[in-house]
Amino acid sequence: MKHVGMAVRDYTLSSGLMEGQIVVIGVAPWGVIHNRHTLIHPEGCFPAYYALDEQGQGRLSCLDINHTHFLLVDDGTHGHYGVEIELRARLEKLISQQTLGSRGSGVTIPVVCVVLDGGPGTLNTIYNAMLKHTPCVVLEGSGRLADVIAQVAALPVSKVTLVLISQLMKRFFGQEYKSFTEVQVIEWTKKIQDIIRMPHLLTVFRIDEDKNYDVDVAILQALLKASRSDEHAGRQSWERQLELAVAWNRVDIAESEIFTEESQWTSCDLHPAMFSALVGDKPEFVRLLLENGVCVGKFLEQEDKLTELYAHLPACFFLRKLAKRVQGGKIHRGQEPQPGSSKISLSHVAEEVRHLLGSFTQPLYGLSRHKMTGDDVRLAVPSKGLVDLPCLGEEWTPDTVWDPGRDLFLWAVVQNNTELAEIGWEQVQHPDCIAAALAACKILRKLAQESGEDDSEEAKEMRELASHYEKQAIGVFSECHSWDAQRAQKLLIRVSPSWGRSTCLWLALEADAKSFIAHSGVQGLLTQIWCGELSVDNPHWKVLLCMIFFPLIYTAPNSKHLQSTLTPVLFTSPQVKFYWNIASYFGFLWLFAVVLMIDFQAYPSWRELLLYVWLTSLVCEEFRQLYHDFDGSGFRRKAKMYISDLWNILDVLSIVLFIVGLVCRLQASGTVFYVGKVVLCIDFIIFSLRLMAIFTISRTLGPKIIIVRRMMMDLFFFMFLLSIWVVAYGVAKQGILIHNEERLNWIIRGAVYEPYLIIFGNVPTNIDSEHCSVNGSDPLKPKCPMLNDENMPAFPEWLTIIMLCVYLLFANILLLNLLIAIFNYTFQEVQDNTDTIWKFQRYELIKEYHSRPALPPPFILLSHLILFIRAVLLRYPPQRHKTFRQELEQTEEEELLSWEAYMKDNYLASTRQDESQSVEHRIQDTAEKYKGRSSDRDDGESSGQETDEEAAPHTFARQLQYPSSTVKRFPVPEEKVPWEVNFTPYLPPVYNEQDTLNFILMNGFGRNPGGRTGIRGKGALKSLGPNHILHPVLTRWRDAEHKVLEFLAVWEEAEKHWALPGRLHSMCVFSVMQVYKGYVDDSRNTDNAWIETTIVTLHCDKHTPLMADLNRIVSRKYHFLSYCSDFCTI
């Protein structure tokens, strides 16, 4: 008891649990408790208060303070240990019969007796526990009784003699052995023999540092061994073993001892274990269950199973978001959701997942697929409260797709579980694995972004897992592209029903998967879209030449039969549109410059009016881009994407400035007119900068533009640091040199502008009186420095010189070199990824020009007019571009996805092969092989200790407790059973169930032929000497082909097992064959009365009157019968 309490205390301290969270019940005899009078209260008291006094306990014992409850057994004695053993054994038996869990699986509570050290009372505990079929684990090396049992556990019973037990007791008990009597040693020898005769209930734990063998493994093996030995448990026994293995998370034991050739598992049998493994975060077990027959489709066939999985999500950011959505957004950061405040279904999960994936997707889950009951499922939010999940009776919408592999994968991804997500990804149906990996990448990066804690461990793990699935998508796509590039490109634009009718290409863009987009296969698709129906091999000069002299396209080979379509093909190509728009934009800038520098009159000229028309076409194009729903994502999301683009912001800014400049320019006032020209000149700068966006398509200039943008961000942060030094020096210098300057423009010039110019070597000249005004009266000159009475500068010259030197030291040397270092770091960092970033950003330009009208500005106004008429007046539905989305026929899609599944298997196989060839894996594999050989060698040595022994003397007839009575037999060890062996201390009691007269018989008269039994008299039998009984084996053919033979069995309620029918004296035997006649080892046997049986076989026809008579006789006598055909198939 003390050791158990210490173990619980150590575990509580190491795991951070609160005291009392683990319930530990101690069973102790009342008569041996020290200070037990303090537990007595006349009115009762809970909890009870107990005074611990270990110093003065003497032979008594104190209760252990680490136990939470005690059961105290009082039989009226004082100072006697062991009186609680019988009650404890019965309590353990009762507990072991209780069902574990609330799912009605039939698995009972496991009970194990762990033996640590121990004395005679512990032996009684072990013996009673094993008689109640409770497995025991003996810790070898813990001392005394545990070591005695461990020494003889592997020996045959015939070698466990009185002499050996006496030697071991003397060795391990020391001086305590002298207090033991001969009868006690005999009794203990008999009990130890009975214990080792039940090897299925006995496990010896030997500490082996090389094997790293833990006690929990020994306990689990003991439970499994005891469950396998239960002949009547059947399937329930196997399920019990599996539940125990899952609870212990011992995959190795389950693989070697549960999933054997003998066990036949169906998917439904493994569903409870699968649920426990998923909820308990045991990925190795999940993989093992999948390998041994679990079908994900059958497991998640009922929607409430998936709902229950979401109800058992561990504490994670997605669970908090889900609880917030359920409660209508009333939960703020750091606030705990109220338990049971709202109820949700899978539709809430679908809404949250759609928010993470993007509004361009459709909900993954519609309403319920099945009619559900109104029972609620509680959503446990660890440390955040509880939310209710109902199973609502709603209809399943046809737009959603049932994909159990996707559901399992998504459930693991949202909780950021790497190993379970990997298993789920491998189980994705269809398989649609590339889309699944990219969707996981998008969800995880969105979750990390919304967590608001970029440096948190959870956010970092989300980003790492997102990068992992981006690599997985790249790996599978690379495998596909290497085999068939055309098929691989179809995978990119195929609409995936399992992921909200999105495409792999769009998911990759939304997930910011730059590496995936930069893949050569994806870039090949984008290049093909960029060229349109033109060949990607056409050199640029040919395309440009055909743009100017388009009749040249008819000179190409094989062009005669395509003459009517070649011209539209040329001018609808995004590449040709881009070239025409470049020429148009250069023409716009040239016209703008001419107007600003040459032709900016009071009244607009024709050039300026043409500029206005040109700008109008640009404005119309911006509106078309804003309202054009390219992929069906909706106006709100389209507007959000439009504003988030820097180039679109420059477009809007340039247009707004142009309108402001135009309004000012049309005013009659000369001042406002000139202001308008200034605004237009500034606007020309922005239009010129916008030219950089056009060249992002260039492989040479595109990466350089990315580097410039990154350096501009660094420059803004640098200017903040520089401004601190500039203002600090400027204000100090201005205050020292100039006295009470009141002109704001000269204050700003002296405090900010001049210190900034000093950095570039421009020394101020306002110190000389020739370049300054004494009193500041000249508005074009700064105020002169303050002079003293001798017309000399009043400020200390050395102070300003020191300040200037320090300022130049930090500004010129430190900060400017820091800027250079920052630029160099940014360049080196971006240079390695510029190609990837450029390829990623290239998509937006391709998409823009793919959807852009063919005519360049200002002629694009005609296209805008046509679009307006089609959309507003004629109300034609918007055209969707099938180039980026493709709906495949069912047959073609099935073939494509089957091919993708094959490619995924190839990729996973190659990945595992690469891992197996790594040095770390080889070292680990070698170590495991060495351990396996060592284990085999140890098993061989232990098995070699066992020898083939002769049939043991009667064992049932020597059970210490005589059946259906309170009489105990005299213990008879194995070697003292024969009458020929001298056994001087043998004084068995006399028992007669029917008569009170004790028979005293002479030695050698009426003695049991099997040997001593430990009791004299008739016992429960009818007469002294042999009591004859007949055991018929009744058989019949079950089928007409005579392939399956059945035999008759009856249920023995007292023994709790099936048996052959006996004592059928009224049965008429016709044609029988005798099988056996002689002595039977029976628990009712005594030294003077025993059972002898005759076993005969009787084969009957199934449809004869004799068969009916036999059934009636057996039913009347035993009340229950069964014809068994197991193991009887011929």
Side-chain angles (χ1 to χ4, degrees):
M1 184 181 297
K2 184 177 181 181
H3 294 295
V4 173
M6 293 174 61
V8 171
R9 180 198 61 189
D10 294 342
Y11 177 77
T12 303
L13 294 175
S14 62
S15 60
L17 297 175
M18 297 294 293
E19 185 176 356
Q21 280 188 270
I22 301 179
V23 178
V24 188
I25 303 175
V27 183
W30 171 259
V32 300
I33 299 176
H34 182 55
N35 285 339
R36 60 181 178 273
H37 62 277
T38 60
L39 299 174
I40 301 175
H41 196 281
E43 299 179 357
C45 180
F46 182 82
Y49 296 94
Y50 177 72
L52 186 65
D53 181 19
E54 294 183 349
Q55 299 296 329
Q57 66 181 11
R59 294 185 66 257
L60 301 179
S61 300
C62 292
L63 296 178
D64 184 68
I65 61 174
N66 297 306
H67 284 65
T68 58
H69 301 76
F70 281 97
L71 291 176
L72 305 178
V73 182
D74 184 13
D75 66 341
T77 60
H78 174 71
H80 290 176
Y81 288 89
V83 298
E84 84 286 356
I85 293 175
E86 178 64 24
L87 175 65
R88 180 165 63 182
R90 292 167 58 188
L91 177 62
E92 292 170 353
K93 180 66 176 178
L94 178 64
I95 293 175
S96 66
Q97 294 173 349
Q98 305 304 310
T99 303
L100 181 64
S102 58
R103 295 191 298 272
S105 61
V107 179
T108 55
I109 297 175
V111 177
V112 180
C113 177
V114 180
V115 183
L116 182 70
D117 191 24
T122 304
L123 179 60
N124 294 333
T125 302
I126 301 171
Y127 185 76
N128 282 274
M130 296 181 71
L131 288 180
K132 301 293 184 181
H133 303 287
T134 299
C136 292
V137 177
V138 178
L139 305 184
E140 184 181 10
S142 59
R144 298 200 301 172
L145 181 67
D147 286 349
V148 172
I149 296 177
Q151 290 293 322
V152 300
L155 297 177
V157 180
S158 60
K159 294 186 178 180
V160 183
T161 61
L162 269 171
V163 177
L164 178 61
I165 297 299
S166 299
Q167 293 175 352
L168 293 176
M169 297 283 282
K170 185 176 181 180
R171 172 184 169 187
F172 292 109
F173 280 82
Q175 296 297 324
E176 189 179 358
Y177 175 76
K178 296 180 180 179
S179 62
F180 299 155
T181 64
E182 183 179 6
V183 176
Q184 286 179 321
V185 176
I186 293 173
E187 180 183 356
W188 297 340
T189 303
K190 172 64 172 63
K191 289 184 176 180
I192 292 174
Q193 290 177 348
D194 290 345
I195 288 173
I196 64 176
R197 194 174 280 113
M198 296 181 280
H200 59 284
L201 297 177
L202 181 63
T203 301
V204 178
F205 171 72
R206 296 179 174 88
I207 299 176
D208 190 343
E209 296 181 357
D210 295 335
K211 293 183 180 180
N212 195 21
Y213 198 45
D214 297 327
V215 181
D216 62 335
V217 180
I219 295 175
L220 178 58
Q221 288 181 335
L223 290 168
L224 297 180
K225 189 162 57 173
S227 298
R228 285 196 302 272
S229 65
D230 191 351
E231 299 176 355
H232 315 294
R235 174 60 58 186
Q236 182 179 349
S237 172
W238 289 105
E239 292 177 356
R240 173 190 174 91
Q241 295 180 43
L242 186 57
E243 284 284 350
L244 293 175
V246 173
W248 256 267
N249 195 22
R250 299 301 305 196
V251 181
D252 51 346
I253 295 178
E255 191 171 8
S256 61
E257 301 189 19
I258 297 179
F259 293 107
T260 60
E261 296 180 356
E262 302 175 0
S263 60
Q264 299 295 329
W265 296 93
T266 64
S267 180
C268 296
D269 296 334
L270 300 176
H271 287 177
M274 183 70 171
F275 184 85
S276 301
L278 287 171
V279 173
D281 189 16
K282 299 176 174 66
E284 295 181 357
F285 242 111
V286 173
R287 192 179 296 276
L288 179 65
L289 292 170
L290 290 172
E291 292 173 354
N292 285 274
V294 170
C295 176
V296 179
K298 292 182 179 179
F299 176 67
L300 297 177
E301 187 175 7
Q302 298 296 326
E303 184 178 317
D304 56 349
K305 182 67 69 175
L306 182 60
T307 306
E308 194 173 357
L309 282 176
Y310 276 102
H312 288 81
L313 275 176
C316 60
F317 181 66
F318 179 81
L319 186 62
R320 296 192 290 272
K321 284 177 63 65
L322 191 59
K324 183 177 180 180
R325 179 175 293 274
V326 171
Q327 300 186 13
K330 298 179 181 179
I331 301 177
H332 303 286
R333 184 179 296 275
Q335 180 182 353
E336 295 184 359
Q338 297 298 322
S341 56
S342 300
K343 298 179 179 180
I344 72 170
S345 64
L346 282 183
S347 59
H348 294 88
V349 179
E351 292 175 7
E352 189 60 42
V353 171
R354 185 168 185 256
H355 165 71
L356 297 173
L357 277 177
S359 57
F360 64 93
T361 60
Q362 295 183 2
L364 301 188
Y365 308 113
L367 303 180
S368 300
R369 288 173 292 174
H370 311 283
K371 292 292 184 181
M372 297 297 181
T373 62
D375 299 334
D376 294 339
V377 182
R378 297 191 63 78
L379 170 62
V381 186
S383 73
K384 295 291 182 180
L386 298 173
V387 178
D388 286 343
L389 288 172
C391 300
L392 303 177
E394 300 167 338
E395 296 291 340
W396 178 253
T397 57
D399 293 335
T400 56
V401 176
W402 179 64
D403 189 344
R406 175 207 62 188
D407 296 340
L408 180 62
F409 175 62
L410 183 61
W411 176 82
V413 165
V414 295
Q415 61 176 297
N416 194 26
N417 193 312
T418 305
E419 296 179 344
L420 287 179
E422 188 68 18
I423 296 173
W425 183 66
E426 295 176 2
Q427 295 296 319
V428 170
Q429 229 176 27
H430 293 139
D432 219 359
C433 54
I434 299 178
L438 294 172
C441 182
K442 164 63 177 172
I443 290 173
L444 290 167
R445 284 176 177 163
K446 185 69 173 179
L447 284 172
Q449 177 186 354
E450 293 186 354
S451 64
E453 301 174 358
D454 295 339
D455 296 333
S456 65
E457 193 67 27
E458 187 178 10
K460 290 180 180 177
E461 291 177 355
M462 288 179 184
R463 292 191 183 91
E464 290 177 359
L465 187 57
S467 301
H468 167 73
Y469 278 107
E470 183 180 355
K471 293 178 181 177
Q472 294 288 72
I474 293 173
V476 177
F477 183 74
S478 299
E479 190 76 19
C480 295
H481 187 261
S482 63
W483 282 75
D484 192 334
Q486 295 297 326
R487 274 189 170 186
Q489 290 179 359
K490 278 188 179 181
L491 288 173
L492 296 175
I493 58 177
R494 181 193 68 87
V495 174
S496 175
S498 295
W499 295 100
R501 298 192 60 78
S502 181
T503 64
C504 292
L505 181 61
W506 190 244
L507 285 172
L509 291 165
E510 288 294 314
D512 196 26
K514 295 183 176 65
S515 299
F516 183 85
I517 297 296
H519 191 276
S520 59
V522 182
Q523 289 299 307
L525 174 64
L526 295 179
T527 302
Q528 184 177 340
I529 297 174
W530 174 249
C531 295
E533 297 188 30
L534 300 179
S535 174
V536 295
D537 298 327
N538 287 328
H540 295 291
W541 65 268
K542 285 187 177 181
V543 178
L544 292 173
L545 193 61
C546 290
M547 286 171 54
I548 301 173
F549 306 103
F550 64 86
L552 292 176
I553 60 176
Y554 299 109
T555 62
N558 302 325
S559 62
K560 293 182 180 181
H561 62 285
L562 298 173
Q563 290 182 0
S564 60
T565 60
L566 282 177
T567 303
V569 165
L570 175 65
F571 289 101
T572 56
S573 169
Q575 182 181 15
V576 176
K577 295 179 189 178
F578 174 74
Y579 289 150
W580 277 120
N581 277 272
I582 288 179
S584 173
Y585 200 80
F586 273 112
F588 170 75
L589 292 179
W590 175 82
L591 181 60
F592 201 174
V594 169
V595 170
L596 289 177
M597 295 186 298
I598 301 174
D599 197 13
F600 200 81
Q601 306 297 332
Y603 184 79
S605 63
W606 67 271
R607 295 186 184 90
E608 192 170 350
L609 292 176
L610 178 59
L611 179 65
Y612 298 159
V613 175
W614 210 313
L615 182 73
T616 303
S617 67
L618 296 178
V619 173
C620 292
E621 176 58 22
E622 292 301 321
F623 275 105
R624 187 201 65 81
Q625 293 181 18
L626 179 61
Y627 284 95
H628 176 63
D629 195 1
F630 179 81
D631 46 28
S633 56
F635 175 75
R636 294 180 71 182
R637 186 172 182 278
K638 185 68 180 177
K640 185 177 179 180
M641 293 176 59
Y642 181 87
I643 297 173
S644 62
D645 190 355
L646 176 63
W647 302 119
N648 289 331
I649 295 176
L650 286 179
D651 288 338
V652 174
L653 180 61
S654 60
I655 291 172
V656 170
L657 285 178
F658 192 95
I659 295 173
V660 172
L662 177 61
V663 172
C664 295
R665 178 251 183 280
L666 295 178
Q667 299 299 318
S669 173
T671 304
V672 179
F673 175 83
Y674 189 75
V675 170
K677 184 177 182 180
V678 172
V679 173
L680 291 175
C681 290
I682 296 173
D683 191 33
F684 180 81
I685 298 175
I686 298 177
F687 272 110
S688 300
L689 292 176
R690 181 63 175 84
L691 190 64
M692 289 192 299
I694 297 177
F695 293 103
T696 54
I697 195 66
S698 172
R699 181 179 289 272
T700 304
L701 295 178
K704 301 302 184 291
I705 295 174
I706 296 171
I707 294 175
V708 170
R709 289 180 59 181
R710 295 291 182 90
M711 287 185 173
M712 288 178 64
M713 297 297 298
D714 294 335
L715 186 60
F716 285 128
F717 289 107
F718 170 78
M719 291 303 296
F720 173 75
L721 296 175
L722 183 62
S723 63
I724 297 176
W725 287 94
V726 169
V727 173
Y729 171 74
V731 172
K733 187 265 301 180
Q734 182 75 6
I736 293 174
L737 293 179
I738 309 301
H739 181 64
N740 295 338
E741 175 65 79
E742 297 179 354
R743 295 172 294 177
L744 181 61
N745 58 335
W746 285 104
I747 292 175
I748 295 176
R749 182 170 181 174
V752 179
Y753 179 62
E754 290 181 357
Y756 179 73
L757 293 179
I758 290 176
I759 298 177
F760 303 100
N762 188 9
V763 180
T765 59
N766 59 349
I767 298 179
D768 299 333
S769 58
E770 298 178 358
H771 299 87
C772 63
S773 174
V774 177
N775 297 322
S777 56
D778 190 351
L780 301 178
K781 291 183 179 181
K783 189 176 181 180
C784 293
M786 185 176 58
L787 303 176
N788 56 18
D789 296 338
E790 299 177 357
N791 290 328
M792 296 294 293
F795 61 87
E797 298 180 0
W798 58 270
L799 181 58
T800 56
I801 294 173
I802 293 176
M803 290 175 56
L804 180 61
C805 292
V806 173
Y807 171 68
L808 292 176
L809 175 66
F810 279 91
N812 275 33
I813 299 178
L814 179 62
L815 293 182
L816 289 181
N817 282 280
L818 175 62
L819 178 62
I820 296 172
I822 292 174
F823 282 169
N824 184 57
Y825 174 78
T826 302
F827 182 83
Q828 293 295 334
E829 182 184 26
V830 178
Q831 180 66 23
D832 298 335
N833 300 319
T834 47
D835 188 63
T836 301
I837 299 173
W838 167 75
K839 290 178 178 178
F840 181 77
Q841 294 181 348
R842 180 171 174 248
Y843 169 81
E844 290 297 331
L845 190 66
I846 294 174
K847 185 183 73 171
E848 176 185 347
Y849 282 94
H850 183 272
S851 61
R852 199 181 185 107
L855 296 176
F859 308 105
I860 198 174
L861 285 172
L862 298 175
S863 299
H864 292 156
L865 181 61
I866 295 173
L867 291 175
F868 178 79
I869 294 174
R870 289 174 57 89
V872 178
L873 300 181
L874 301 180
R875 297 186 179 276
Y876 285 170
Q879 294 182 353
R880 297 294 171 83
H881 297 275
K882 297 183 179 180
T883 308
F884 294 90
R885 293 174 62 88
Q886 187 175 3
E887 295 274 1
L888 301 179
E889 296 292 336
Q890 182 177 0
T891 304
E892 184 181 4
E893 182 167 359
E894 290 177 355
E895 293 178 355
L896 184 65
L897 292 177
S898 299
W899 177 71
E900 183 188 4
Y902 178 70
M903 292 296 103
K904 183 186 80 168
D905 294 339
N906 286 350
Y907 166 71
L908 293 177
S910 61
T911 303
R912 295 189 187 101
Q913 184 177 2
D914 294 339
E915 292 177 355
S916 64
Q917 292 178 353
S918 62
V919 178
E920 295 81 1
H921 187 274
R922 289 182 178 181
I923 294 175
Q924 183 180 0
D925 188 44
T926 304
E928 291 177 356
K929 288 181 180 179
Y930 173 77
K931 289 181 180 180
R933 292 175 182 175
S934 177
S935 176
D936 294 341
R937 184 172 61 252
D938 294 342
D939 293 342
E941 292 174 356
S942 61
S943 63
Q945 295 175 356
E946 298 181 4
T947 58
D948 294 331
E949 53 179 325
E950 298 179 356
H954 50 200
T955 56
F956 293 105
R958 290 187 294 119
Q959 293 179 355
L960 292 181
Q961 186 70 42
Y962 193 83
S964 302
S965 71
T966 58
V967 180
K968 290 188 176 181
R969 301 177 188 265
F970 188 89
V972 182
E974 191 89 3
E975 72 273 18
K976 299 297 183 180
V977 172
W979 294 106
E980 296 81 10
V981 179
N982 184 27
F983 193 16
T984 304
Y986 185 61
L987 295 174
V990 178
Y991 173 65
N992 297 282
E993 186 180 66
Q994 297 178 355
D995 303 325
T996 58
L997 178 64
N998 293 335
F999 291 90
I1000 302 177
L1001 303 176
M1002 300 292 293
N1003 290 335
F1005 177 79
R1007 292 194 304 182
N1008 190 313
R1012 298 182 177 94
T1013 62
I1015 192 171
R1016 294 181 179 178
K1018 292 192 302 181
L1021 299 178
K1022 292 184 177 181
S1023 62
L1024 295 173
N1027 291 258
H1028 297 281
I1029 192 170
L1030 177 67
H1031 281 96
V1033 180
L1034 306 176
T1035 61
R1036 70 181 184 187
W1037 292 110
R1038 190 177 71 177
D1039 51 353
E1041 293 80 8
H1042 293 183
K1043 292 184 177 180
V1044 179
L1045 187 68
E1046 295 179 330
F1047 65 92
L1048 181 67
V1050 296
W1051 176 255
E1052 294 282 359
E1053 185 64 28
E1055 302 294 336
K1056 300 294 183 183
H1057 63 73
W1058 294 95
L1060 296 175
R1063 300 185 291 276
L1064 298 178
H1065 303 290
S1066 60
M1067 185 183 73
C1068 297
V1069 178
F1070 293 88
S1071 176
V1072 299
M1073 181 178 67
Q1074 181 174 312
V1075 178
Y1076 173 79
K1077 183 177 182 180
Y1079 176 77
V1080 175
D1081 182 16
D1082 193 280
S1083 59
R1084 296 167 293 176
N1085 291 352
T1086 68
D1087 287 354
N1088 312 118
W1090 59 92
I1091 293 177
E1092 293 184 359
T1093 184
T1094 301
I1095 301 178
V1096 296
T1097 62
L1098 174 62
H1099 186 75
C1100 307
D1101 191 353
K1102 191 173 184 178
H1103 304 288
T1104 59
L1106 176 61
M1107 194 73 249
D1109 294 339
L1110 291 175
N1111 290 339
R1112 185 172 58 255
I1113 295 172
V1114 175
S1115 299
R1116 184 172 62 249
K1117 190 174 186 63
Y1118 292 98
H1119 306 292
F1120 188 83
L1121 62 88
S1122 174
Y1123 284 94
C1124 304
S1125 59
D1126 293 345
F1127 312 110
C1128 297
T1129 303
I1130 298 181

